[in-house]
Amino acid sequence: MAENRASTNEETYGEGVPCWVDAQLPDVEAGKRFYGELFGWTFQEAYGSAVWALLDGDRVAALAPKTDGRMPTVWTVSFATPDAGALARRLTAAGGRMITDPYPVGDLGTAALAADPGGAVFGLWQPGTHRGFGRRRAPGAFVWAELYTRDTAAANAFYGDLFHDALFGSGAAPDFGRADVTEVFPAEMPPHFVAHFGVTDLAGALGAVQRLGGRVQAPPFTTSYGTVAVVTDNQGASFALLQR
């Protein structure tokens, strides 16, 4: 494993704040070529067979190989917590379920995978030496997580209770929204999170996605938080590009 050098810009994230994203891909080398060209990321050996994605030396994401071909090719958004076990208990009591119970990732921290009552999957991250994003809210980095769900009222109640301070507390500036799935996707699309990455030229970024073998899943549309297009990479993982 490469030297675990945390970014000097790494923040400490309060519970319920999106603090990390990682992609599970069939081919990490192909992912490095795609995202390196699209966002200017460089890569560094991380944990296991995963790699850190770096933007000017700051950690912005991870790419990891799928351990089972039956697993989806996806980007997963993880929310920070000081105690993954306690949050898992609160989450299940509120009607969610644990897919993977909390487990240690070396000295980096503790991870878990959960689903909300509607079935949307997300991660939990209890930090160790890795606190989360070294850079966010910037071009080429994570800027927003949108949950597309069939019941926004139920989602607001679930996450509003689970992550109240991050969403509604004093000084909260959440990077997490909820929308009806049919606003962008067909009604049969299951509830899911979409990680958004910042761009300064949306049209140019869409051209790059297509040139690199990806496709446009939802062409640009206007939201309260910027202009968004949903795309898939050259292996089928969906994400969004956000221009503000």
Side-chain angles (χ1 to χ4, degrees), residues 184 202-204 206 216-223 226-231 241 243:
V184 176
L202 183 55
L206 289 174
V216 179
Q217 193 172 0
F221 57 96
T222 301
T223 72
T227 303
V228 176
V230 182
V231 300
L241 303 171
Q243 181 176 333

Side-chain angles (χ1 to χ4, degrees), residues 144 146 174 176-179 183 221-228 242-244:
W144 190 263
E146 188 77 355
F176 170 29
R178 282 76 61 204
E183 290 182 18
F221 57 96
T222 301
T223 72
S224 61
Y225 49 90
T227 303
V228 176
L242 172 60
Q243 181 176 333
R244 285 175 158 157

Side-chain angles (χ1 to χ4, degrees), residues 22-28 47 49-52 62-67 74:
D22 60 272
Q24 293 81 47
L25 303 173
D27 186 340
V28 169
Y47 49 91
S49 301
V51 294
W52 302 118
L63 307 182
K66 294 199 299 186
T67 56
V74 293

Side-chain angles (χ1 to χ4, degrees), residues 2-240:
E3 178 186 358
N4 178 27
R5 182 186 60 81
S7 164
T8 56
N9 293 331
E10 235 176 48
E11 301 179 45
T12 298
Y13 295 95
E15 185 162 77
V17 175
C19 69
W20 193 242
V21 288
D22 60 272
Q24 293 81 47
L25 303 173
D27 186 340
V28 169
E29 288 302 314
K32 288 165 65 175
R33 292 190 293 272
F34 180 92
Y35 291 103
E37 177 72 20
L38 181 61
F39 293 134
W41 291 351
T42 58
F43 299 92
Q44 181 185 60
E45 184 181 340
Y47 49 91
S49 301
V51 294
W52 302 118
L54 308 177
L55 186 62
D56 299 328
D58 295 327
R59 292 177 185 168
V60 291
L63 307 182
K66 294 199 299 186
T67 56
D68 185 330
R70 295 169 296 182
M71 294 170 61
T73 300
V74 293
W75 278 98
T76 300
V77 178
S78 290
F79 294 88
T81 177
D83 187 334
L87 181 57
R89 291 188 290 273
R90 287 170 43 219
L91 186 152
T92 53
R97 64 184 177 89
M98 297 305 300
I99 297 171
T100 305
D101 289 330
Y103 63 95
V105 184
D107 64 353
L108 296 173
T110 299
L113 199 63
D116 68 17
V121 175
F122 59 98
L124 309 179
W125 182 253
Q126 177 184 325
T129 58
H130 174 59
R131 296 196 293 273
F133 297 120
R135 184 182 303 195
R136 59 174 177 157
R137 299 175 177 171
F142 170 86
V143 289
W144 190 263
E146 188 77 355
L147 168 64
Y148 287 97
T149 179
R150 290 200 176 84
D151 190 339
T152 52
N156 285 338
F158 176 79
Y159 292 100
D161 178 61
L162 201 64
F163 300 144
H164 180 272
D165 287 351
L167 291 172
F168 306 115
S170 175
D175 299 321
F176 170 29
R178 282 76 61 204
D180 190 278
V181 70
T182 56
E183 290 182 18
V184 176
F185 300 101
E188 62 270 18
M189 176 73 76
H192 63 292
F193 280 88
V194 178
H196 292 48
F197 298 95
V199 295
T200 55
D201 175 5
L202 183 55
L206 289 174
V209 165
Q210 293 172 303
R211 186 178 72 252
L212 292 165
R215 66 181 179 87
V216 179
Q217 193 172 0
F221 57 96
T222 301
T223 72
S224 61
Y225 49 90
T227 303
V228 176
V230 182
V231 300
T232 60
D233 68 15
N234 58 344
Q235 299 182 68
S238 294
F239 61 100

